[in-house]
Every structure is written in structure tokens, then in C-alpha cells.
Amino acid sequence: METNPTVGNLTIGGAAAGVLQLGKSAGAGANLALTVNGTFAVNANGTVRHTNVRNEVHVINVNGTLSCSGTFDMFVSTARRITLTLGGGTDTLITEGGTPTWDLAEVTLNKLSKFSKVTNQSTGFWTRTGWTSAAPVTFTQGTYVHDTASTFDVSSLDTDAALTIAVNAQIRVLQGTVSIWVGSGGAGGVLALVGTLDIQGGAVNVGDATDEGIAFQTGAVFSMSNGSLTCAGRFCNNTTTDTITWTQNSGTITLNTVGSTSATLAPFHIAAAGSSFTMSGGVLILQRPGNAAAEYINLAVTSSVTGGTVQFGNASTPSAMMFRINSVVSVFDLTVNGDQAGATDPTLQLVTNNLTVANDVTIAATCTFNATTLNLSVGRNWTNDGAFSATGGTVTMNGAGAAAMGGTGTTTFFNLTVGKTAAVAVTCTATMTINGNFTVSGSGAFTATGGTVTFGGTVAQTITDTSTGAAPRITFDALTVNKGANGVTTAADITINSTWTNTAGNFTATTGTVTYAGNTNVNHAINGGTVTYNNLTIAKGAVDTLTNTAATTWFVNGDYSCTSGSFDMNAGTIQFSGGTA
């Protein structure tokens, strides 16, 4: 072919072998263009190739269907190649038959509409000897649908690959793999997301070295309903004013698998308030820390979070890593995880903004969560098999559903509030220390069926009950007061089902009733400080005894009663200063 024809349908090969060569065979060379508006079919005995006579770069425009069962050879060398443009206003389907030979040079998607599709169902279409530029694939306009089990590999043998999804372009992955890699000689390749990346299945992999990931610009849309996304580096805004519409319904996203050196961009970073963030399922994992002020920054003002997990650390996270989260957007489930045998698993720290976890908090064994002085709200369960600490702020167990606090780890709260919005209980089996105030509010209750709650620290503490739920609303299993200074004051009704140990610090009930209940024999030891009750009730099981094990004085300013079980004061003394006994 030595001209620039436009045809409807074009078939190469068939009853007899056919070869279509683009390029001049004699005379002056020229860059040629072939446009096929209908079906372009290369049969098993057909070949499309460059003449390989002169340095010419030709173009084949396919505006309809492309099928190949023969040879589609677009590349001889950088100077002798054929670029492929997928255009037109109708949808394009790419298929193949038998064992075709594909060898691409450069590919451009430029349909007449953002919603016109190019659907690839060919397993070999993206085969290439070597891309001819740092950006060998261009998505200008239209929707590319990857509907094949094969790999769409945008990479280069010699230089870094870069791929831009323009504002009027979309990539939709249904199955298979889309990989955007870099070569051996470049400085870093990224996916520039200005249009839409829609993952409905399969796997999308971006980068294989530090700082290689996805940078979005205003107008970008990210959607995931299945499959996986893995970035060697960040998923972040290009500038702090760039906005994105983010939706994840399912699937797994793993970010920063290799590393991020940016001092200003987090491995996951949505900085612009004008962004929208929706998450109803799936998992978003931060594998490594970055070099910025936090690893997860989400400042989108418009948000809807009804499911999904944000996870810090996995089995591939190096030892002793520090992650930080700064988010005005709630997280549904929050997990700190490591699972590296023999390693010091990661720490998660709250920075800048208070955090709302709509559902569960899970801290895996040997992992740490440090809330610092910020507030943390938890909508359902709390499981700590590692360590949790707070030097200020309040952890609030809220939400309308029943919840559980458990785990075998070390938990140190500053203020702890149980503020359920319905008449349900937070059931606790965990051992914990509270160094600030403990409050039960709303409509629910706190019921410990195991573990020990210790009131510690050096500040004056209160136990407060403003809940409108049914009594009893504050029930401890084992209770310890061990303060370095000051004491614990309460006006609430409190039930204790196991032991009470007063190691240091005073306990003073100004009103309300402290009830010793439970169906076991238990001890009460005042080894330091003083204990002053308002009303005191013994309501143990019929054959169970509450035994005082120290020669100390109990002060009762209100009423005393023993409704069931027995009470052995031993060498101690009860001093009544009011009420009845």
C-alpha cells in the first residue's frame, strides 16, 4: 500500500494467502495512513506488516472490529513501524483465532466519545517486541475494556513506561492483568489518572520500584467492585487541589509495596476537600510507611463509608514500621496487622485529626495502636491482641448495635466512654487500664464478664453513668484501683462480680450503690488508699462469700445490705456514718 485509503471492511488472506505491506517500494518515502471503518480481519494466512524498505512511520486507523488469526506485525525498528489508532464512534471488539502473531509498536485509543468502547478479548493483542517511546500507549478518549485472561503490559525494554488516562478516557478491567511497569534505565513511571480507572475483576499492577504508583488529577474517577490493585508506591493527588471521586465496593488494594520517599505525599493521599470518597467493602492495605507526615491522609468532605477495611501492615511489612493516619473520613473496619514471625510488627499512630471507626478495631498480636491525645470512636467491636495506648483524648464505644471488647493484649485508655445509642451492652472480656474518666452515656450499658479493669495514672478520675438504659449499666468483673496520685470518685451504681483490689489511691462513692454480685467466692483487698461507699450491697450466690483480706477499714456513708451469700470482714472494720445496716 503506497497511498492513504479509507475503506469500509478489509480482509487479508482467505482462499489464498494475502499480505498487506505499508510503505513505498520505490521513490521518495512517505508516512502513510490506512483507515478501516468497518471490520478489519486478518485471516490465518494473512499478514499485515511494514515494507521495511525505508524509514517510515505509518498509521492504521481501526474504527470498527479488529480480528486476527494470522500476523499483525507493526514493528521493525523505531524508525520503521506502524502505529495503531482505535477510533470512530462505534464500539470496537478485538478478537483472535488460532495462534496469531501480534507485534505492536504504539497504540492510541481515541474514540469519538468517552463511552465508546474498545473491548479486548484477544489473549495476544498486547504482545510487542519493544515499545518505541516512553509513553507507547495513549488513552485520549473512549473506554478500553480488558476482557481477557491475558496481560496488558505497558512497559519498555529500555526506558520507563508512563501511561495517562485522559479526562475523557476510561480503563475498565474485567479479568486478566493490566501491568504498568518500568524498564531498567528510567527514573520512575506512574499512571497519571485524569479520567476513570474501573476495576471489576482481574489484577492491576502499577510500578515495580520506589515512588512508582498512581497520581490523580482533578476529574479523576476510581472505582473498584472486585479484583485487585497493587502499587509499588503511592496512590495520591498530583497537587493538593486535585480532586477525585473514589468508590470501592469490594476487592483488595495494596499500596506502597516497595516504598515512597516523598516528604509531602502520603502513600494514600486525598488532600482536596472537594473530593468524594465512598467505601462499602473490600480492603485497602498500606504495606510500608512513607516519608510524609502520615501514610493515610483522607480529607474528602463528601464521603459515605458503610463497609470495607483499612489495614496497616501485612505479612510483607518490614520489622518495626511506624504508620500514621490522618483522616476526616470515617473508616469502617480498622486493622493493624503484621504476622512476620520473629519481627517487631508495626505501630499505627493517630495524627492531626480525631478518627471515627464505624465498625471494628482489630489490633493483631505484637502490633501497636497509639491514639496519642486524639479522640477515637468505635462503632462496634474492639479486639486487641497487641497493644493500645493513649495519653489523652477519649475512646468512645458508640453505635446502635451490641458490641464486644476483647483480646489478650495490653490496653491503656485515657478516657473511655460507652455511649451506645440503643439499649444494648458493650460486653467486655479484656483486661484494660483507664488513666482518665470512665463514662456510660446514651442508652446502653457496660458489662464485663472477664478481665480486669484498672483505674490508674495520676489524675483525679470519675466513673459517671448518665445512660437511660436498664440497670445494671456498669458491671465490672475484676476491679483494681492503683493510682500514683489522686483518686477515683463516682456517683454511679456499680456492680462487681469478681475481686476488688485497692493497691493505691482512694475510691469514693458520693451517691449510688456498689453491689458485690456473682456466683463465686472472691476477695476484696484494700492494700493502699481508702474505700468509701455510699450504699453497699452484698448479693453473692447463696453459697458464695465475699472475703476481706486486709486489716483495713471500709467506710459506708449510706445503707448496707446483704441480700444473698455471705460477707467475711476478717480483721477489717466497717465504719458506718449514716444510713441503715
Side-chain angles (χ1 to χ4, degrees), residues 539-567:
K540 302 293 293 179
V543 296
D544 301 311
T545 301
L546 171 66
T547 302
N548 176 45
T549 61
T552 54
T553 299
W554 298 18
F555 296 92
V556 180
N557 292 332
D559 296 335
Y560 166 79
S561 64
C562 182
T563 59
S564 61
S566 58
F567 175 40

Side-chain angles (χ1 to χ4, degrees), residues 26-54:
N31 297 332
L32 304 177
L34 166 65
T35 300
V36 182
N37 288 324
T39 297
F40 188 1
V42 182
N43 289 325
N45 57 352
T47 298
V48 179
R49 66 191 182 198
H50 196 284
T51 56
N52 195 21
V53 173
R54 292 178 173 80

Side-chain angles (χ1 to χ4, degrees), residues 221-245:
V221 176
F222 174 79
S223 177
M224 172 176 272
S225 57
N226 211 336
S228 67
L229 168 66
T230 303
C231 290
R234 302 177 292 275
F235 193 124
C236 64
N237 39 255
N238 189 53
T239 70
T240 57
T241 59
D242 284 319
T243 61
I244 188 171
T245 299

Side-chain angles (χ1 to χ4, degrees), residues 83-339:
T83 65
L84 175 64
T85 297
L86 303 169
T90 60
D91 290 347
T92 295
L93 180 64
I94 302 173
T95 60
E96 65 180 35
T99 55
T101 299
W102 299 88
D103 190 5
L104 302 179
E106 294 181 17
V107 179
T108 297
L109 175 72
N110 193 15
K111 305 292 283 183
L112 293 180
S113 164
K114 176 180 180 178
F115 304 103
S116 294
K117 296 191 294 291
V118 173
T119 301
N120 176 29
Q121 295 180 342
S122 163
T123 58
F125 174 71
W126 289 107
T127 305
R128 78 280 183 276
T129 300
W131 296 117
T132 61
S133 71
V137 180
T138 303
F139 287 89
T140 303
Q141 187 161 278
T143 300
Y144 170 74
V145 181
H146 193 75
D147 189 14
T148 169
S150 65
T151 297
F152 165 23
D153 186 357
V154 185
S155 63
S156 172
L157 299 180
D158 301 310
T159 60
D160 284 352
L163 178 65
T164 296
I165 304 176
V167 65
N168 289 318
Q170 305 182 76
I171 290 181
R172 181 175 300 147
V173 183
L174 303 183
Q175 59 172 316
T177 303
V178 173
S179 295
I180 304 163
W181 302 114
V182 303
S184 58
V190 297
L191 171 61
L193 180 59
V194 191
T196 299
L197 176 59
D198 179 15
I199 305 172
Q200 299 183 18
V204 176
N205 304 309
V206 181
D208 62 354
T210 299
D211 292 325
E212 295 173 357
I214 299 175
F216 64 82
Q217 299 176 33
T218 294
V221 176
F222 174 79
S223 177
M224 172 176 272
S225 57
N226 211 336
S228 67
L229 168 66
T230 303
C231 290
R234 302 177 292 275
F235 193 124
C236 64
N237 39 255
N238 189 53
T239 70
T240 57
T241 59
D242 284 319
T243 61
I244 188 171
T245 299
W246 169 290
T247 303
Q248 183 178 3
N249 301 318
S250 185
T252 300
I253 299 170
T254 307
L255 303 180
N256 212 34
T257 61
V258 180
S260 170
T261 63
S262 173
T264 57
L265 295 171
F268 179 82
H269 202 144
I270 298 178
S275 295
S276 172
F277 182 90
T278 300
M279 191 172 189
S280 60
V283 183
L284 194 162
I285 302 170
L286 281 300
Q287 183 168 308
R288 290 173 177 262
N291 196 40
E295 280 60 48
Y296 182 97
I297 297 177
N298 192 348
L299 306 181
V301 169
T302 302
S303 66
S304 173
V305 176
T306 57
T309 300
V310 176
Q311 177 177 317
F312 294 86
N314 60 15
S316 298
T317 299
S319 179
M321 294 289 100
M322 171 68 79
F323 292 93
R324 292 146 300 179
I325 179 171
N326 171 18
S327 182
V328 299
V329 177
S330 65
V331 172
F332 192 73
D333 288 328
L334 178 69
T335 297
V336 188
N337 196 13
D339 293 339

Side-chain angles (χ1 to χ4, degrees), residues 4-101:
N4 299 292
T6 297
V7 300
N9 299 321
L10 178 61
T11 300
I12 310 299
V19 177
L20 172 63
Q21 292 191 140
L22 276 70
K24 294 282 189 177
S25 59
N31 297 332
L32 304 177
L34 166 65
T35 300
V36 182
N37 288 324
T39 297
F40 188 1
V42 182
N43 289 325
N45 57 352
T47 298
V48 179
R49 66 191 182 198
H50 196 284
T51 56
N52 195 21
V53 173
R54 292 178 173 80
N55 291 341
E56 299 169 331
V57 178
H58 308 304
V59 178
I60 294 179
N61 300 303
V62 177
N63 297 332
T65 296
L66 174 61
S67 66
C68 180
S69 301
T71 299
F72 198 80
D73 186 359
M74 303 287 99
F75 184 79
V76 177
S77 66
T78 301
R80 299 180 180 187
R81 68 187 193 273
I82 303 171
T83 65
L84 175 64
T85 297
L86 303 169
T90 60
D91 290 347
T92 295
L93 180 64
I94 302 173
T95 60
E96 65 180 35
T99 55
T101 299

